Amino acid sequence: MKKLAIVVSHPIQYYSPWFKYLSNTTGLAVKVFYLWDFGVTKQVDFGFKQEIQWDIPLLSGYDYEFVPNISSQPGTHNFWGLQNPSLMSQIQNFHPEAVLLMIYNYASIYRLLWGWNQSQIPLLFRGDSHRLLASKGVKALVKREFITQIYRRFAACLYVGKANYDYFRYHRVVEKQLFFSPHTVDNERFLAQADTVNHQAQAWKQELGISSDHAVILFAGKLEDKKRPLDLLKAFLSVNIPQTSLLFVGAGPLETELKNTAAEHPNIYFAPFQNQTLMPRTYAAADLFVLPSCGAGETWGLAINEAMCLGRSVIVSDHVGCSQDLVHNEHNGLIFRAGDISALAHSLQAALSDRERLQKWGENSRKIVGNYTYAQATQGLMQALEYAKL
């Protein structure tokens, strides 16, 4: 049985089910090497600004091991947050035929990249970066050349969507080395609860005080600058959409400012961070899910996948990585120019002007996201491994 080593920063709720799928369906002996134990131990999340421990199993159904991290400030928010001196030796002890990296811009990964003999055991990379907000100037050119040299260390690269494909091509990864392995979530977990969570969502909205005859606009995630929840609040306040409420779910550094700004206005509600088992109910409470992120930080927006699994229409900014793949304008949602509050306000009005159409958009969302599965992600990986002669 061929062995595949996978290197990931930490257990991630979107990836763990895929690793289980790979172990059960591909005939590969998969082993995941984690560089940090966030997610399975209670630790402060840098974005949420509170202690987090996911309440779904992230380590079951596949083989894994943790690589000791000696960083004084462990985490993925800084370059030195992943320092794992034994990473290379632990991978070598597994004797893999190929290694898939899911990250690279950390101290441990650079040490691995420069020390690994890729001519004997190929390295693969799966990334999700994009250039939807393209930088210019000398610094940008230098960065381009540096990243181009990094990608030359890989036998093949897996791209998650159109914007990510363009990013790889910009950094001179040749087309034959690129394989489509889309970003996906555990669709089955969300789809299996699609019918049962509707009743839970109605009860939850009643607890929050949201009128039963109101449509709900939902923002769920970290209340931080890059996700622009304040843009959504300002857009909502700038228009008068009858029988409509705005719900913010999450936590983060902008929470106090959001609540202060919304304090004097009706039909704006806040709910605390919801763990993974409660996310299907969270999306089910909404009629429209909005992700207004601005800047290069929203590499994909997997919350969009989740909302679409629950049959929700969506609005995203054009800086959200999945905008070119999952959001079909005026078919399952709308795309607006990032940072343009008036454009977002217009999109809210347009989406909610026809409630029957909004529901139809949600049905279309479920159909679209049905093509973004672990099976499709795996197909791209297997093609890349075949190309790399595994």
Side-chain angles (χ1 to χ4, degrees):
M1 182 179 289
K2 300 289 187 180
K3 293 182 177 181
L4 172 66
I6 302 177
V7 180
V8 193
S9 58
H10 60 286
I12 297 172
Q13 68 270 29
Y14 307 116
Y15 292 167
S16 294
W18 185 38
F19 300 153
K20 181 178 180 178
Y21 182 93
L22 289 174
S23 297
N24 292 337
T25 64
T26 61
L28 295 171
V30 175
K31 188 166 191 175
V32 180
F33 293 83
Y34 287 119
L35 310 187
W36 181 36
D37 62 357
F38 179 83
V40 293
T41 61
K42 185 172 287 190
Q43 298 184 45
V44 174
D45 181 274
F46 190 74
F48 281 119
K49 301 298 183 185
Q50 67 181 59
E51 286 190 336
I52 299 294
Q53 182 177 359
W54 301 122
D55 63 354
I56 58 173
L58 299 182
L59 299 175
S60 62
Y62 63 94
D63 193 14
Y64 67 90
E65 65 182 64
F66 284 93
V67 184
N69 185 3
I70 64 171
S71 173
S72 60
Q73 293 184 320
T76 55
H77 59 285
N78 72 96
F79 176 82
W80 301 104
L82 302 178
Q83 295 187 58
N84 312 81
S86 62
L87 175 59
M88 187 179 299
S89 62
Q90 288 184 234
I91 295 174
Q92 289 171 336
N93 289 339
F94 178 55
H95 302 293
E97 275 79 18
V99 181
L100 170 64
L101 301 184
M102 308 281 279
I103 51 172
Y104 81 80
N105 199 24
Y106 296 96
S108 282
I109 303 303
Y110 282 116
R111 190 179 297 113
L112 176 67
L113 284 174
W114 306 137
W116 193 262
N117 187 347
Q118 70 268 26
S119 63
Q120 291 187 347
I121 302 174
L123 296 174
L124 281 65
F125 178 65
R126 184 175 187 258
D128 59 6
S129 297
H130 61 66
R131 297 186 69 253
L132 295 175
L133 180 64
S135 55
K136 300 177 182 179
V138 175
K139 186 177 179 181
L141 290 174
V142 172
K143 183 178 180 180
R144 180 188 187 185
E145 292 304 316
F146 177 72
I147 295 175
T148 296
Q149 294 305 315
I150 290 172
Y151 287 159
R152 286 178 177 166
R153 309 288 293 180
F154 297 105
C157 292
L158 309 177
Y159 65 95
V160 300
K162 294 176 183 177
N164 183 220
Y165 174 87
D166 292 340
Y167 182 87
F168 280 125
R169 295 291 287 129
Y170 173 77
H171 291 99
R172 303 190 183 96
V173 180
V174 296
E175 191 171 357
K176 67 179 182 179
Q177 289 179 282
L178 289 169
F179 301 89
F180 181 46
S181 179
H183 254 327
T184 182
V185 299
D186 191 356
N187 287 13
E188 290 185 5
R189 181 169 75 88
F190 284 88
L191 292 171
Q193 300 181 61
D195 294 327
T196 59
V197 294
N198 284 325
H199 177 72
Q200 299 172 15
Q202 293 302 320
W204 186 47
K205 285 194 290 185
Q206 188 175 9
E207 290 176 19
L208 293 171
I210 300 174
S211 177
S212 60
D213 62 348
H214 274 211
V216 175
I217 302 167
L218 173 66
F219 175 97
K222 296 175 181 177
L223 303 177
E224 59 184 0
D225 285 330
K226 77 172 184 180
K227 292 187 179 291
R228 293 295 185 106
L230 276 167
D231 284 9
L232 176 56
L233 177 56
K234 292 173 183 177
F236 181 76
L237 292 175
S238 71
V239 294
N240 181 23
I241 307 175
Q243 293 184 299
T244 302
S245 291
L246 173 61
L247 173 60
F248 288 99
V249 177
L254 294 180
E255 183 174 353
T256 299
E257 185 176 357
L258 284 162
K259 289 181 175 178
N260 289 341
T261 305
E264 303 300 321
H265 302 278
N267 303 326
I268 302 173
Y269 301 87
F270 293 85
F273 164 82
Q274 305 289 295
N275 216 317
Q276 288 299 297
T277 57
L278 292 175
M279 287 310 298
R281 182 196 70 172
T282 301
Y283 296 115
D287 298 273
L288 174 66
F289 183 79
V290 182
L291 186 57
S293 303
C294 187
E298 198 68 77
T299 52
W300 181 262
L302 283 160
I304 297 296
N305 294 64
E306 295 177 336
M308 289 173 63
C309 282
L310 267 294
R312 273 25 191 185
S313 54
V314 293
I315 292 178
V316 302
S317 81
D318 58 2
H319 287 178
V320 174
C322 71
S323 60
Q324 298 180 19
D325 303 84
L326 293 181
V327 188
H328 301 180
N329 217 35
E330 297 189 4
H331 180 69
N332 73 312
L334 296 168
I335 303 169
F336 72 97
R337 188 169 65 252
D340 189 335
I341 294 173
S342 62
L344 175 53
H346 177 75
S347 295
L348 294 176
Q349 283 184 306
L352 290 156
S353 64
D354 186 335
R355 302 296 168 89
E356 288 186 10
R357 184 188 63 183
L358 192 67
Q359 184 175 357
K360 179 63 177 177
W361 284 2
E363 294 169 2
N364 293 337
S365 280
R366 187 175 289 160
K367 294 175 184 176
I368 293 168
V369 81
N371 294 318
Y372 287 73
T373 63
Y374 290 135
Q376 192 175 20
T378 299
Q379 182 180 22
L381 171 60
M382 299 305 288
Q383 290 169 347
L385 290 171
E386 183 178 353
Y387 174 82
K389 308 301 183 187
L390 178 58

